[in-house]
Amino acid sequence: MAATAAGESRVPGAGTPDCREDSRPLIRSVLERIGDKWSVSVVCQLGESTYRFNELRRLVDPITQRMLSVTLRALERDGLVSRTVHPTMPPRVDYALTGRGLSLLDVLRDLAGWADAHAEEIGSSRAEFDAQAQ
């Protein structure tokens, strides 16, 4: 059994998906997607508004055009981002979060809140670790 910070025991698999390396491949690939360098930034920006490609690229600077394209395509493939092409000349393409993307945004905001709540403790732990390593 895994121990929690409060000293309680949790039974692995008791209502919570497993996030170990040997867990289901789809879960692992989704966690890799939302944990990559750019996906979180793109999802957070799209949580504010719908954007065109170049607007989004400026907001997620210093992302390259190619990496933004790859990231958007992967997020679209997972159903987190929608791509709308407007029949204008030149064509206008807008990107927005889907309902699934908005639910991920809630999780990312919770995670950011956790990081903020523990930032001072984490900073202290890092300083202590680095001091011991020297």
Side-chain angles (χ1 to χ4, degrees), residues 12-28:
T16 303
D18 193 347
C19 60
R20 294 177 301 178
E21 265 310 294
D22 61 347
S23 66
R24 294 194 336 232
L26 179 60
I27 293 172
R28 188 171 56 247

Side-chain angles (χ1 to χ4, degrees), residues 1-98:
M1 283 194 213
T4 64
E8 320 163 339
S9 294
R10 282 189 295 153
V11 177
T16 303
D18 193 347
C19 60
R20 294 177 301 178
E21 265 310 294
D22 61 347
S23 66
R24 294 194 336 232
L26 179 60
I27 293 172
R28 188 171 56 247
S29 73
V30 169
L31 291 174
E32 288 170 358
R33 161 67 41 227
I34 61 174
D36 75 17
K37 184 173 181 175
W38 298 112
S39 292
V40 170
S41 295
V42 169
V43 168
C44 288
Q45 289 299 334
L46 289 174
E48 301 299 318
S49 184
T50 297
Y51 290 107
R52 295 173 76 173
F53 185 90
N54 284 326
E55 292 173 319
L56 194 54
R57 184 172 173 212
R58 281 189 292 276
L59 292 168
V60 186
D61 189 52
I63 195 169
T64 64
Q65 181 172 337
R66 180 187 176 285
M67 187 49 57
L68 179 57
S69 180
V70 167
T71 300
L72 286 167
R73 187 170 293 266
L75 292 170
E76 184 181 6
R77 180 176 183 242
D78 286 343
L80 302 170
V81 168
S82 65
R83 179 179 183 267
T84 305
V85 180
H86 300 278
T88 59
M89 283 311 266
R92 176 182 166 167
V93 180
D94 291 326
Y95 294 91
L97 291 181
T98 63

